Amino acid sequence: MSRPDGDRAPRLFGRPVPPRTVAWLTVVWLLLWGELSVANVLGGLLAALAVVWLLPLPARKPALRIHPARLLVFLAVFAADLVISSARVAFWALRFGTVPPMEIVEVRLRTSSEVMAVLTVVALSALPGSLVLEARLADGELILHVLGLTGDVQGRTREDVAKLEARIVAAFGTTADREELR
Amino acid sequence: MEPLLILHAVAAVCAPALVRRFGRDAFLVLALPPACGFAYTLWAVVTGTPVASHHDWAPALGLGLSFRADALSLLMMTLVTGIGALVLLYCSRYFSAGEEGLGRFGGALVAFAGAMLGLVAADDLLLLYVFWELTTLFSYLLIGQDPASRAGRRAALQALTVTTFGGLAMLAGFVMLGEAAGTYRISQLVAHPPAGGTVPAALALVMTGALSKSAIFPFSMWLPAAMAAPTPVSAYLHAAAMVKAGVYLLARLSPAFGEAVPWRVAAVSLGLLTMVLGGWRALRENDLKRLLAYGTVSQLGFLTVLFDTATRGAALAGAAMLGAHALFKASLFLVVGIVDHAAGTRDLRELSGLRRSAPWLCAVATAAAASMAGLPPFFGFSAKEAAFESLLGGGLGRSATLAGVVLGSALTAAYSLRFLTGAFGSPPGREPTPLAPYGAATFLPPALLAVLGLAAAPFASWYGRAMDPYTATFAVPGHDAHLALWSGAPVPLLLSAAALAAGALLFAAGDRGARAGRLLRTIDSGRVYWALVRGTNRFAGQLTGVVQRGSLPDYLMIAFATLAGIAAFALLHGPVTTAGPVVVLWKRAEQPVVGVLLAATAVLAPFARSHIVLALLVGLTGYGTALLFLAHGSPDLAMTQLLVETLSLVAFVLVLRRLPIVPEEEQRPRVPPAVRAALGLVTGLVAAGAGVLAVNARSETPIGTLLAGPAERSGATNIVSALLVDIRAWDTLGETTVLVVLTLGVTSLVFLRRRTYALERPPAGHRRPPGRTYWLTATLPPGERAAVLEVVARMIFHTLLLVSVFLLFTGHGSVGGGFAGGIVAGLSLVVRYLAGGRYELAVAAPTGAGVLMGLGLLLSVATAALGMAFGGAPLRAFSADLAVPLVGKVHLSTVLLFDLGIYLTVLGMVQDILRSLGAELDRQIEEEAR
């Protein structure tokens, strides 16, 4: 995930080289090689600089800020959700002869940030059992297809999505984003 | 010999630059290589013959750079180089100073001179063929010098078609001859000629080539048409050099095969026919140049007769005629060029009074024409006397030949007169043509050639002795012939007188003779040629209409049916396999699971109603195959398959936008569905069966186990990538090139109606709507925006690129490589295009797709060249370990350079697909919607 930097990124041979992107790419490089060494760090820096310089993206203000502690919380809950949700879908999939309960739910997001909304959409899509059919980001509206839940599906889903959104904004949101949800 | 040829080549390449620098004076510089050739030839004549040299070129093919200058070659070399130098000198004033395309013209002319020199000096059949075709190509450029002239283009194409047709036949003949003799060296072949077997057929093929090049009937039509060329070209190519190539080849092979009766009779009769028809036709032409052209055709027929009579005397006469003809005909052509430029016309119905306004020019033309007509004391007379004498005696056939030759000579005398009176006479009642001045540089070459035609005559007997080594190679002495200024033999002299008198009568008869000639139009080979061309075109069009119906199902069925046919043939006629196929059902539990899913997908696919579902199902089978590869333990294959499948899916989706969602049902399917299904099943069985049989047919131990060693030596721990970029690097290079060509083909089809391939940048007014967040440089139109994709594209773009770089580097040691890296980098562009549309692609692409592909190929080829330069073999890989402080050991290898080339090429290809199937289709759709 490259983090957008501000307009005032340092320049190299006349082209902006956003330092946060370079740092992120170097980390990815190290993860790919799986070894922390001087050669790999230098190689990573070089590769990152080359990539960013040769194929630039338009510069813009950062729309993402990571809070390490809250990121851990988000990841832990997300992992738990992943397990529960997979088990639920597997349960229904193995009951031959019965049609699992399905429902279409319309959810309204509270954040106005497109990045936060997109992250929520990606997280929802990654969970088995919930699928984003349509995302109207301009209105902050999502249409979900929910599989395997019974009872008050609409209410529970809206509640779950709102909690997920809150965790995401807490982990990745800028100050303005967090103000919005308060 | 080789330095001379190289000198010509260098001059040809530098010609455009020289002309740009010095204008038409550059021709003086360009005349130097032929002049050097002339000096070399003189030196060879003085020091004695033959001069021979040989260098291996492609020994495995038996192809060598063999050159040999014997008497015949030296004669031709003298003509080619001497007249070549004079013609180039003439060019320096013939063209006006600012004429367009002079650089190209000069280059082609010098290149032609070099090719012609190589042709007459070559002592290897294949080498001779190479030069032969080079002269054809350059003559095409020279005849079609004026690209705006339709006649010029048609004439150039006609000359190319006819002589190439002959040339290909000749190549086949050469190969048959060479194989029969066990050598391609001409000197050895002539000394020990092969016989029997395929030799007669080979000779017929070679003769076809020679006759087509020398414009002998039925191939004579291209020469008069080629008069659309600038006059210096006609003087050189169509009098002295190229048309003599065919005659030269006949003269070269005649000592060995002249006794092959069918060959001799056919060549002599065609030569006679050409001599008479050409001469007669020359009597009807009003254009001076075309008159000379038909005269040349006639004389070429004469030469063919002489050389293919295959006696010592006739060969001597032929060798003399060869020289004499080059002198007078080149001179006359150059004179016509001067007349044409100075008087503004070369139509003998319009010219008048030039004898008085240009007396010197008239004198030169008279001298040359006298030699042509065979008047004493010119060299042409000596040659003709020798010809008549050599054809005396013998049986009925020989006498008929003599009669034909005398008739031809009468016609020659008649059209010589016609040329002179037409160009320089003053018919009553016609105003004298105004004449512009002409320079000495244009006048000197024809004057020199004409004077030589007179000055050479006293040396005729010396000339004959110089040709002895050549004439002695003929086994049959025939009637004695003497080459002398005045041989004094009574019969030839009488025949000469008779021919001249008959010529004068024919000329005096004027129109009546010409009208008789018009009857011959029924066998005008030019018309036959164009009728053939039209017929071929029509047939090709109809055949294409029948075979290429534009229906993909039809093509597929033809391909499948062919495959089934091959399989059936192999089953019926192939060797019986003794061991029954051993089938291992599976080795790992994943395999049957994936296999069943794959089969299920394949069964579902034919029932899919819409294109897009079908594409997805086919994609699924691809992904399944990747899984099978993985289960079998080949991650490299699996990853490549996975990436390629993804890319094909993208391409499918991009193209399918232009098709209806559900295929339109054919009104009445030509082939019923059941037959199609059966064909599909058979194809599947054939493919699977062939696989099973192939695996079981293995009788040796697989070499896979032996590969670890070489791979390690090449510094790679990944055998697959060692195979791709080192051990079988040639294959990879070839495949990459093929892929590039295919991509360019697809692109040019999509861009068919457009002048530019460049991606369109967003128009100036194209900005995002105010107040919107904005992730990329461009967005799709408001209704179609994919905000999620935009954000995701921004987030993963650089990361994907970094992964592609990682794959490029890691391929050396583990799964990855330039191909996979290139596709991943391409996919990062795909993501941006899908999110932001065609304007986004224009911004995202680092540079033009063509640049990327070209750079990639260049890198790969440079690696090959590097290996050749320093390692002794193309694509030999080098590697070195550098110790860098702090960092440690850094492994450098040219293999990485090769891989980088592939990476760039593949990236360029993906970009090209996006640009054509994506952006350009978008533009077309937008345009149609408007």
Side-chain angles (χ1 to χ4, degrees), chain B residues 705-729:
Chain B
T705 48
L706 306 174
L707 280 174
E712 205 156 318
R713 270 199 297 286
S714 77
T717 39
N718 179 356
I719 293 178
V720 177
S721 70
L723 269 178
L724 283 177
V725 296
D726 192 15
I727 300 170
R728 305 300 299 263

Side-chain angles (χ1 to χ4, degrees), chain B residues 565-577:
Chain B
I566 291 172
F569 181 83
L571 275 183
L572 289 177
H573 295 278
V576 186
T577 43

Side-chain angles (χ1 to χ4, degrees), chain B residues 527-579:
Chain B
R527 292 172 166 215
V528 176
Y529 168 81
W530 285 113
L532 268 177
V533 168
R534 272 196 303 277
T536 311
N537 277 342
R538 199 175 310 129
F539 174 71
Q542 282 166 353
L543 189 69
T544 311
V546 170
V547 182
Q548 308 272 325
R549 307 187 66 96
S551 154
L552 282 178
D554 281 8
Y555 296 160
L556 211 57
M557 273 191 294
I558 290 174
F560 282 176
T562 312
L563 188 70
I566 291 172
F569 181 83
L571 275 183
L572 289 177
H573 295 278
V576 186
T577 43
T578 46

Side-chain angles (χ1 to χ4, degrees), chain B residues 45 75 316 319-321 323-324 327 377-383 386 450-468 482-487:
Chain B
V45 170
L75 169 63
L316 177 68
M321 201 62 214
L327 292 178
F378 290 91
F379 192 46
F381 169 74
S382 312
V451 167
L452 274 176
L454 181 60
F459 300 100
S461 50
W462 177 84
Y463 187 96
R465 275 196 303 283
M467 283 297 138
D468 269 349
H482 302 87
L483 196 62
L485 182 57
W486 188 264
S487 65

Side-chain angles (χ1 to χ4, degrees), chain B residues 466-542:
Chain B
M467 283 297 138
D468 269 349
Y470 167 64
T471 51
T473 53
F474 284 86
V476 183
H479 194 282
D480 242 8
H482 302 87
L483 196 62
L485 182 57
W486 188 264
S487 65
V491 184
L493 200 60
L494 270 174
L495 288 174
S496 261
L500 287 173
L505 276 176
L506 268 172
F507 173 69
D511 278 348
R512 258 161 292 163
R515 225 173 291 136
R518 205 164 293 149
L519 295 176
L520 294 171
R521 282 188 76 166
T522 38
I523 38 175
D524 184 341
S525 49
R527 292 172 166 215
V528 176
Y529 168 81
W530 285 113
L532 268 177
V533 168
R534 272 196 303 277
T536 311
N537 277 342
R538 199 175 310 129
F539 174 71
Q542 282 166 353

Side-chain angles (χ1 to χ4, degrees), chain A residues 59 117 130:
Chain A
S130 63

Side-chain angles (χ1 to χ4, degrees), chain B residues 174-476:
Chain B
F174 277 175
V175 172
M176 286 156 76
L177 265 188
E179 292 304 315
T183 175
Y184 284 91
R185 292 289 284 273
I186 297 172
S187 46
Q188 293 167 13
L189 198 89
V190 171
H192 309 283
T198 56
V199 171
L203 288 178
L205 289 170
V206 172
M207 202 169 82
T208 309
L211 296 188
S212 72
K213 193 86 164 177
S214 282
I216 302 299
F217 187 86
F219 302 109
S220 5
M221 63 291 185
W222 71 263
L223 183 55
M227 290 304 116
T231 303
V233 171
S234 308
Y236 190 36
L237 270 65
H238 306 136
M242 189 171 90
V243 290
K244 295 282 171 60
V247 173
Y248 166 76
L249 187 67
L250 293 178
R252 182 50 81 207
L253 296 180
S254 196
F257 302 106
E259 284 164 73
V261 174
W263 142 289
R264 207 183 64 213
V265 169
V268 169
S269 10
L270 286 176
L272 271 181
L273 190 62
T274 311
M275 186 178 185
V276 173
L277 286 182
W280 212 324
R281 183 71 196 258
L283 281 179
R284 291 197 289 125
E285 283 300 332
N286 292 320
D287 180 333
L288 287 177
K289 232 175 130 181
R290 285 178 67 87
L291 190 158
L292 286 182
Y294 277 108
T296 308
V297 169
S298 165
Q299 297 281 321
L300 289 168
F302 189 16
L303 287 170
T304 308
V305 170
L306 289 178
F307 281 117
D308 277 299
T309 302
T311 64
R312 273 176 213 163
L316 177 68
M321 201 62 214
L322 196 67
H325 176 252
L327 292 178
F328 64 67
K329 195 51 71 62
S331 172
L332 286 175
F333 266 118
L334 294 177
V335 166
V336 170
I338 297 176
V339 169
D340 191 10
H341 267 201
T345 179
R346 53 175 200 238
D347 192 323
L348 48 77
R349 287 166 303 184
E350 293 169 16
L351 289 166
S352 170
L354 259 57
R355 185 162 58 88
R356 260 181 291 280
S357 50
W360 285 105
L361 200 60
C362 177
V364 165
T366 310
S371 187
M372 175 155 83
L375 280 182
F378 290 91
F379 192 46
F381 169 74
S382 312
K384 194 182 293 175
E385 290 285 282
F388 290 161
E389 193 177 0
S390 72
L391 291 172
L392 288 176
L396 189 66
R398 187 64 54 78
S399 307
T401 309
L402 182 61
V405 166
V406 173
L407 175 61
S409 299
L411 288 165
T412 307
Y415 70 70
S416 302
L417 267 173
R418 184 173 156 80
F419 175 84
L420 271 185
T421 53
F424 295 96
S426 316
R430 200 185 293 168
E431 286 294 301
T433 321
L435 202 67
Y438 51 89
T442 48
F443 175 71
L444 276 179
L448 187 62
L449 291 172
V451 167
L452 274 176
L454 181 60
F459 300 100
S461 50
W462 177 84
Y463 187 96
R465 275 196 303 283
M467 283 297 138
D468 269 349
Y470 167 64
T471 51
T473 53
F474 284 86
V476 183

